[in-house]
Amino acid sequence: MQYVGNKWVFRIKVCANGSVERFKARLVAQGFSRQPGVDYFETFAPVVKPSTVRLVLSLALQRNWFMHQLDVSTAFLHDELSETVYMRQPKGFEHPDYPHYVCKLQRALYGLKQSPRVWFHCLARFLLDLGFKQCVSDQSMFIFHSGGDCIILLIYVDDIAVFGSSKSLISQFISFMSTEFSMKDLGQLHYFLGIELKHNSLGLLLLQRRYITSIMHCFKLEKCKPVLTPLHSKLDWNSTSSPLLEDPSIYRQMPRQLHFQAIKRIFRYLSGTIDWGLQLYKNSPLALTVFSNSDWAGCSATRRSTTGFCIFLGSNLISWSAKKQHTIARSNTEAEYRALAVATAEATWLQYILRDLGVFLTSTVSAKCDNI
């Protein structure tokens, strides 16, 4: 019989301002050795989408909702495993008389393939029992109504953002959560999914200073010279004259010096815009506006076009995308129609989210595209 290995993972957890919060040690199972269909089955667990987060933040600003943040400690240990999994004894905690014995895992452990799914089902079951309703359009959003008040939960694994119209109702919900799970009340929402939330007179400014600083430090580019644009205007991506990287492990999908220099330019651009952020306005109308565009055969290597769109809720930018189209467009008109179709599908999905929240737009969605 094959047993799961394990290792200790040590991490320094820092606050949003970069100061050290605490030192963490976590036992992680080496679940990569498990076989699908034998040691685990379903592994998918939904997480909230960034567009949903920005949409709910925009609504919270307009309606003066309270914003709270919760963190569940050792989230994966709260529900039992349905599969039988054996794990070797943790290093440093081997039994002196029985060093060759193994542990039978009763609960999900970090590192196992099925752990996120087990935890999400445990949390969802508890919330549904409390009277919450799971959003159909985004399975990681839960809504609770009590009279004229409401609570909205956005869940990303063990990070939970709480929005509500009643402070007492939120406090009551947190007390219920504390009786069921080991958790920390982090107070007012200020840092969620790598994004720093800074309140100002206009509303809310979303920043990613800590994330940018961490990746700059990772690649030792803290002192690089800033540039004004993230990409050179003319680059021949299909060129084979550029030498290969000496160490391909630096970035295996960008094998040439040309591509690596382009990545470094993005870092240089970020170093000069580290204090830039996305402003969400509290005085903004409830109207969806779509802007879409596309080039035609812009990629010199594949001749595929690029779809780009952005969607505003009033004055607040809540969703955007820039991706290559899956197939080659035979005309500029075809490329533009594809971009408009993708943007319209995203706007339709955002309307479903709004309806789940009880918000119905009074005006039709306005879609603007390059129709020359």
Side-chain angles (χ1 to χ4, degrees):
M1 181 180 292
Q2 187 179 9
Y3 309 122
V4 181
N6 59 75
K7 65 177 294 186
W8 289 100
V9 176
F10 303 98
R11 180 185 171 193
I12 301 176
K13 192 162 186 178
V14 297
C15 302
N17 59 7
S19 61
V20 176
E21 179 183 346
R22 66 182 186 275
F23 297 91
K24 294 182 64 175
R26 173 177 289 168
L27 180 66
V28 177
Q30 295 174 325
F32 55 82
S33 62
R34 301 290 83 199
Q35 299 179 8
V38 178
D39 303 297
Y40 64 91
F41 297 93
E42 297 292 336
T43 61
F44 174 76
V47 292
V48 68
K49 295 182 179 180
S51 300
T52 304
V53 176
R54 290 187 288 267
L55 178 64
V56 175
L57 281 173
S58 183
L59 288 176
L61 283 173
Q62 296 171 24
R63 302 189 172 188
N64 290 320
W65 285 345
F66 297 97
M67 308 180 193
H68 225 73
Q69 186 173 3
L70 307 176
D71 179 52
V72 182
S73 304
T74 59
F76 290 176
L77 302 179
H78 284 96
D79 205 5
E80 295 186 358
L81 285 171
S82 57
E83 303 89 357
T84 301
V85 180
Y86 295 97
M87 186 186 74
R88 300 184 187 278
Q89 297 183 50
K91 186 177 180 180
F93 291 86
E94 299 91 346
H95 196 287
D97 299 328
Y98 308 102
H100 300 296
Y101 276 30
V102 295
C103 307
K104 181 181 179 181
L105 296 182
Q106 303 289 345
R107 302 290 181 109
L109 195 65
Y110 287 85
L112 295 180
K113 299 285 187 180
Q114 65 269 45
S115 292
R117 184 179 181 87
V118 172
W119 155 245
F120 183 82
H121 280 185
C122 174
L123 178 60
R125 186 170 59 247
F126 173 76
L127 293 175
L128 293 175
D129 289 341
L130 280 182
F132 279 83
K133 292 185 178 180
Q134 191 172 14
C135 178
V136 176
S137 304
D138 193 328
Q139 295 284 300
S140 293
M141 183 168 71
F142 291 80
I143 305 170
F144 177 81
H145 291 281
S146 176
D149 295 319
C150 69
I151 293 180
I152 299 169
L153 304 182
L154 301 182
I155 300 170
Y156 195 98
V157 193
D158 56 354
D159 290 322
I160 304 175
V162 184
F163 302 86
S165 55
S166 169
K167 194 169 185 178
S168 61
L169 192 60
I170 292 178
S171 300
Q172 185 180 1
F173 164 72
I174 293 176
S175 64
F176 278 128
M177 285 283 290
S178 301
T179 59
E180 183 72 14
F181 305 108
S182 173
M183 53 168 289
K184 290 179 294 184
D185 181 2
L186 302 179
Q188 185 181 17
L189 185 65
H190 64 281
Y191 190 79
F192 188 61
L193 305 182
I195 299 175
E196 180 184 352
L197 291 81
K198 187 175 181 180
H199 290 267
N200 54 29
S201 58
L202 298 176
L204 197 62
L205 184 64
L206 309 184
L207 301 164
Q208 285 192 292
R209 291 181 293 198
R210 174 179 156 187
Y211 175 70
I212 295 173
T213 302
S214 65
I215 61 174
M216 299 288 287
H217 176 74
C218 179
F219 293 99
K220 298 180 175 61
L221 293 172
E222 303 97 323
K223 299 181 180 179
C224 64
K225 185 178 179 181
V227 292
L228 297 178
T229 57
L231 193 65
H232 199 279
S233 59
K234 293 183 179 180
L235 278 177
D236 185 8
W237 298 105
N238 207 25
S239 174
T240 57
S241 60
S242 178
L244 294 172
L245 291 174
E246 295 180 0
D247 181 10
S249 64
I250 296 176
Y251 198 79
R252 293 187 179 277
Q253 294 182 346
M254 294 289 181
R256 296 189 179 275
Q257 288 286 352
L258 171 71
H259 303 88
F260 187 63
Q261 292 299 323
I263 295 295
K264 288 177 66 176
R265 184 181 178 92
I266 295 175
F267 286 149
R268 293 175 60 192
Y269 172 75
L270 290 174
S271 70
T273 59
I274 193 169
D275 291 319
W276 291 15
L278 179 64
Q279 179 69 51
L280 298 181
Y281 299 92
K282 57 186 177 182
N283 298 320
S284 178
L286 282 175
L288 278 178
T289 307
V290 180
F291 297 89
S292 73
N293 201 355
S294 174
D295 65 357
W296 183 34
C299 179
S300 60
T302 64
R303 308 310 298 174
R304 287 191 290 171
S305 307
T306 301
T307 289
F309 71 80
C310 57
I311 302 177
F312 287 80
L313 181 64
S315 305
N316 298 334
L317 178 60
I318 58 175
S319 181
W320 62 85
S321 176
K323 289 184 179 180
K324 283 185 185 179
Q325 296 179 0
H326 296 297
T327 56
I328 297 175
R330 289 170 290 185
S331 68
N332 188 28
T333 302
E334 182 180 346
E336 293 288 353
Y337 267 115
R338 288 183 182 178
L340 187 59
V342 172
T344 304
E346 178 75 6
T348 303
W349 172 74
L350 289 171
Q351 280 186 294
Y352 291 151
I353 295 288
L354 288 169
R355 290 173 186 172
D356 286 336
L357 292 169
V359 178
F360 297 90
L361 301 179
T362 57
S363 60
T364 56
V365 178
S366 176
K368 304 178 185 295
C369 68
D370 181 2
N371 61 355
I372 293 177

